[in-house]
Amino acid sequence: MFKKDITPGAKSKVKSSVQRAIRTKITETYPLLAPHIDEIIPKKSQLDSLKLPDRVTLYALDSHPLFYQHMDDPITPHLRTVHQFPAAFPRIRIDRGAIRFVLSGATLMAPGLTSAGGRLPSGTNATTDKDDGEEEGEEEKRYGGRDLEEGEVVVVEAEGKEEACMIGQLRVGTREIKEKKKGVVIDAGHYLGDGLWRIELD
Amino acid sequence: MASEIGATDAASSEPQARHVIYCGVCSLPPEYCEFGGTAKKCKDWLEKNHPDLHEKLYSEEAVAATLSTLSLEAQKRAAKDSQKKEAKAAAAEAKAAETKAQAQILIKRVERNKRKYVTAVSGLEAHGMDLKKVAKEWGKKFATGSSVTKTASGGEEVVVQGDNSDEIFDWVVDVAGVPEANVDCIEDKKKKGA
Ligand SMILES: [Zn+2]
């Protein structure tokens, strides 16, 4: 969605009532982010909204992009926001071989996730905050037990890397990815180095 | 480093946001620099600015560990790909350096009325200057009106009130570091009675 360089459109101040609604929308979409919402968008701060191409709205604070939203799709964090609070979002992982394709704006395909280096939620429905299974590995926790649904926003991490490289909406649920092992997974994500990553708001 | 003990009230809890270092060359987290076209420059930047992280990412063990996860075939393809990217980036850089070396800055003294002048300066952008910032700085420096104006040819130039050609020439050469050969001063006199 942001393959090209972006020149942001007019900037306008977000009304305080709208800003409250945005905060609520964010914490509803990402419940694990709720404890941090005051740190990300302080109560007395002034959010700006900017029109980007393709009917995307960007929300920024002091010229730092925080979240964006494409039409009625879920509000989605900018990757820098993800890097600040990575554990607040559902995550999957691609193998090392898929990284360079993702970073050049390619569609994310299932094999990059179902190969040995990829990770998907286990699907055992184990909730991540119950830790009766002490043996549950670090990775198991990281990628969770709940299968993710089509349409959910998911953070894409990469084998051997600490930081996430992409975020976007799943085109298929993770159970189907595991079953079919092929097809499109995310086709219009925001990735490291894309136009949204490099956008300058000053 | 300063002590962690907060002198302020304890009501506001510690910020929880992780602080991630981003590459000063390509802007990505340094662990992803290898996928861009500026890998060598990135590595040098990291070594200079964050030696510990440089050690972690580029030590022999780290490099061996990442390579072992790829098949030989995939390694070859990835290496070829990054070579291509680097060559592309180098070519683009060489081209940019060449255009910059040839780009001429024109300082033009324009007579507005009798003994009233403005100084119009064009070509600054080719030397990587932000016209708005330059206009602001000159306005302050010369205590005069200074603004970015569209030219007839569709470009932009900085127009400063008064005859400041000499001072601007000095600024461009001394402060901005543009070679003298790339700066021209000319005079645009109005014909009398025009
Ligand atoms: Zn870099």
Side-chain angles (χ1 to χ4, degrees):
Chain A
M1 188 153 43
F2 305 110
K3 251 183 133 164
K4 291 187 194 147
D5 280 338
I6 299 176
T7 317
K11 181 166 89 173
S12 58
K13 288 180 177 175
V14 172
K15 279 191 204 150
S16 61
S17 59
V18 177
Q19 181 160 335
R20 266 200 303 280
I22 291 169
R23 281 170 50 113
T24 308
K25 202 159 55 179
I26 292 169
T27 52
E28 278 170 6
T29 315
Y30 309 103
L32 294 174
L33 204 58
H36 309 298
I37 192 69
D38 284 338
E39 188 177 341
I40 300 169
I41 306 173
K43 283 211 176 81
K44 284 178 187 162
S45 64
Q46 173 62 62
L47 269 187
D48 291 318
S49 93
L50 297 102
K51 290 262 172 272
L52 304 189
D54 298 325
R55 288 193 261 182
V56 173
T57 305
L58 179 68
Y59 297 105
L61 189 63
D62 303 329
S63 296
H64 296 298
L66 296 181
F67 289 85
Y68 68 92
Q69 185 168 28
H70 171 246
M71 299 172 70
D72 288 330
D73 291 347
I75 190 161
T76 307
H78 188 275
L79 274 173
R80 285 197 187 79
T81 310
V82 173
H83 292 165
Q84 289 181 315
F85 300 98
F89 308 96
R91 296 184 267 185
I92 58 178
R93 188 178 96 177
I94 54 172
D95 63 39
R96 187 178 153 80
I99 300 176
R100 67 189 174 100
F101 295 105
V102 163
L103 295 197
S104 54
T107 297
L108 176 59
M109 308 297 281
L113 294 155
T114 53
S115 69
R119 292 289 181 275
L120 288 162
S122 64
T124 53
N125 261 324
T127 43
T128 37
D129 30 35
K130 252 191 218 160
D131 64 339
D132 33 29
E134 278 286 307
E135 281 101 281
E136 194 186 9
E138 187 63 27
E139 271 193 3
E140 181 89 343
K141 263 187 201 154
R142 191 157 175 152
Y143 301 105
R146 179 180 68 86
D147 265 320
L148 305 171
E149 308 283 334
E150 175 190 345
E152 275 194 68
V153 173
V154 65
V155 165
V156 181
E157 301 188 326
E159 178 188 12
K161 306 292 179 201
E162 192 69 31
E163 308 303 331
C165 60
M166 189 189 201
I167 186 164
Q169 243 184 323
L170 285 175
R171 287 283 159 252
V172 287
T174 53
R175 182 198 288 264
E176 194 180 327
I177 297 173
K178 283 180 275 185
E179 280 166 9
K180 296 198 174 149
K181 295 190 169 58
K182 59 181 182 187
V184 172
V185 175
I186 298 176
D187 61 359
H190 156 42
Y191 57 92
L192 286 178
D194 69 2
L196 183 60
W197 175 263
R198 287 191 317 246
I199 196 168
E200 296 210 21
L201 299 182
D202 272 329
Chain B
M1 288 286 156
S3 82
E4 296 284 297
I5 302 160
T8 47
D9 62 327
S12 59
S13 53
E14 289 279 310
Q16 300 289 306
R18 287 169 68 247
H19 180 75
V20 178
I21 291 168
Y22 295 114
C23 174
V25 177
C26 73
S27 84
L28 304 191
E31 56 184 356
Y32 285 99
C33 288
E34 54 174 319
F35 298 100
T38 53
K40 278 209 184 72
K41 268 193 184 168
C42 293
K43 186 172 182 288
D44 292 344
W45 178 88
L46 194 66
E47 187 165 22
K48 209 171 146 199
N49 293 278
H50 299 279
D52 44 335
L53 190 54
H54 175 269
E55 171 64 24
K56 193 177 148 203
L57 291 179
Y58 293 99
S59 71
E60 256 174 59
E61 305 97 82
V63 172
T66 51
L67 284 182
S68 68
T69 61
L70 279 185
S71 73
L72 217 60
E73 225 4 72
Q75 279 184 40
K76 271 190 204 152
R77 266 181 276 128
K80 213 172 155 191
D81 191 57
S82 65
Q83 256 176 12
K84 244 198 225 158
K85 266 190 189 163
E86 254 178 62
K88 230 177 164 180
E93 204 180 309
K95 204 176 164 210
E98 197 185 327
T99 36
K100 196 170 159 182
Q102 288 169 358
Q104 217 54 21
I105 291 176
L106 201 58
I107 303 174
K108 197 162 69 175
R109 189 173 84 151
V110 187
E111 190 171 10
R112 271 287 140 85
N113 288 311
K114 226 180 184 183
R115 296 198 164 267
K116 289 250 201 281
Y117 298 95
V118 295
T119 313
V121 187
S122 54
L124 296 165
E125 65 284 347
H127 288 269
M129 286 179 250
D130 179 333
L131 298 193
K132 269 191 204 161
K133 281 185 190 156
V134 171
K136 211 172 170 185
E137 187 168 338
W138 288 352
K140 267 192 224 156
K141 194 172 166 66
F142 308 132
T144 182
S146 172
S147 62
V148 179
T149 312
K150 288 220 160 59
T151 62
S153 58
E156 284 185 325
E157 59 185 12
V158 177
V159 175
V160 183
Q161 301 302 312
D163 175 16
N164 294 288
S165 325
D166 292 341
E167 291 87 346
I168 289 173
F169 182 90
D170 290 344
W171 187 94
V172 168
V173 172
D174 298 336
V175 181
V178 177
E180 272 187 47
N182 287 53
V183 192
D184 280 334
C185 283
I186 60 165
E187 196 149 342
D188 188 28
K189 264 201 177 151
K190 264 191 186 166
K191 281 178 195 150
K192 267 186 190 166

